[in-house]
Amino acid sequence: DIVLTQSPLSLPVTPGEPASISCRSTQSLLFSNGYNYLNWYLQKPGQSPQLLIYLGSIRASGVPDRFSGSGSGTDFTLKISRVEAEDVGLYYCMQSVQTWAITFGQGTRLEIK
Amino acid sequence: EVQLVQSGAEVKKPGTTVKLSCSFSGYTFTDHYIHWLQQAPGKVPEWMGLVHPEDGETIYAEKFQGRVAMTADTSTDTAYMELRSLRSEDTALYYCATEKSGGFHHWGQGTLVTVSS
């Protein structure tokens, strides 16, 4: 199975400051159609995960534009341009290039300083 | 508005079977794959498998092969996930989610399954 490694695992951020999370894969997530099958989710306390970014860089419906995704192949990054209090929670990357063996990163906990 | 509503919490004894449901509204049920995920307390979500409502095609994660069955009823727009031979490690929240372009765009609220003797 593809292993995704996130860093950092804990991310204290001052409101209004930027934040960045890395996700590295043991195999390329670039499919033959030219898209990277890498997603980012936020799970707020007590809630279901919510999709932020899919296909590496496309914001999901309703996601604020302060969230952006980039990268290709095996290295990906989620950036928050200006962190807000409501962004607190666990961030996961997930690969779906192997539809038969979808895997998640171990999660990054974002907290407000 | 797309909504996925899952069935209520379950308490089961080890060795028994649980069957969870996920009811869909707000979109065409047969248009997208439906995935199920397990999230043990304090853990990362784990993908269990998928079902395609249009033709019943299923793919299961190796970890759950032989113990899980996923189905979809197009007459009621409801998906089901059955997990057999329950053990204490199956105590978890179970989510259904719809997939489009590789991402899980809509999620159910989750169903808590507790396995205890």
Side-chain angles (χ1 to χ4, degrees):
Chain A
D1 289 1
I2 294 175
V3 176
L4 300 179
T5 302
Q6 291 183 227
S7 62
L9 299 185
S10 178
L11 185 55
V13 185
T14 301
E17 292 297 303
S20 179
I21 301 171
S22 168
C23 178
R24 290 190 169 159
S25 173
T26 53
Q27 296 179 40
S28 176
L29 305 184
L30 181 62
F31 194 59
S32 55
N33 61 7
Y35 288 101
N36 288 280
Y37 281 72
L38 186 283
N39 309 294
W40 291 97
Y41 298 87
L42 165 59
Q43 188 169 29
K44 296 182 180 181
Q47 295 186 18
S48 305
Q50 59 186 91
L51 180 65
L52 298 174
I53 303 288
Y54 65 102
L55 295 178
S57 61
I58 302 175
R59 266 192 306 277
S61 176
V63 174
D65 61 8
R66 65 179 182 274
F67 290 93
S68 64
S70 63
S72 183
T74 60
D75 286 343
F76 298 88
T77 302
L78 175 72
K79 291 183 179 176
I80 310 173
S81 58
R82 294 173 307 280
V83 169
E84 297 187 4
E86 66 181 24
D87 299 336
V88 164
L90 276 164
Y91 288 78
Y92 297 106
C93 56
M94 182 199 93
Q95 67 78 21
S96 51
V97 74
Q98 289 186 346
T99 315
W100 62 93
I102 291 172
T103 53
F104 287 79
Q106 70 268 58
T108 294
R109 186 175 299 278
L110 186 147
E111 61 182 44
I112 297 296
K113 279 185 184 175
Chain B
E1 180 193 3
V2 176
Q3 282 199 313
L4 283 64
V5 178
Q6 297 187 233
S7 48
E10 303 262 9
V11 179
K12 293 290 184 179
K13 293 196 181 302
T16 62
T17 296
V18 70
K19 188 171 184 177
L20 308 182
S21 68
C22 179
S23 298
F24 294 76
S25 62
Y27 82 106
T28 304
F29 184 57
T30 51
D31 275 358
H32 303 297
Y33 288 96
I34 298 164
H35 296 248
W36 289 87
L37 301 101
Q38 178 192 67
Q39 188 171 29
K43 301 293 187 183
V44 177
E46 188 163 10
W47 182 76
M48 300 178 71
L50 65 84
V51 58
H52 193 207
E54 187 168 42
D55 59 10
E57 173 197 4
T58 55
I59 301 176
Y60 301 136
E62 192 173 339
K63 175 180 176 178
F64 298 98
Q65 282 274 3
R67 282 209 303 142
V68 71
M70 297 176 188
T71 56
D73 184 344
T74 56
S75 69
T76 59
D77 289 357
T78 302
Y80 297 92
M81 190 279 292
E82 180 180 272
L83 189 60
R84 302 180 289 272
S85 302
L86 289 169
R87 33 215 192 215
S88 58
E89 309 89 89
D90 294 320
T91 293
L93 268 169
Y94 290 82
Y95 293 103
C96 56
T98 63
E99 181 223 320
K100 177 185 168 186
S101 300
F104 299 156
H105 291 252
H106 302 284
W107 295 66
Q109 83 276 21
T111 296
L112 179 63
V113 175
T114 303
V115 183
S116 173
S117 53

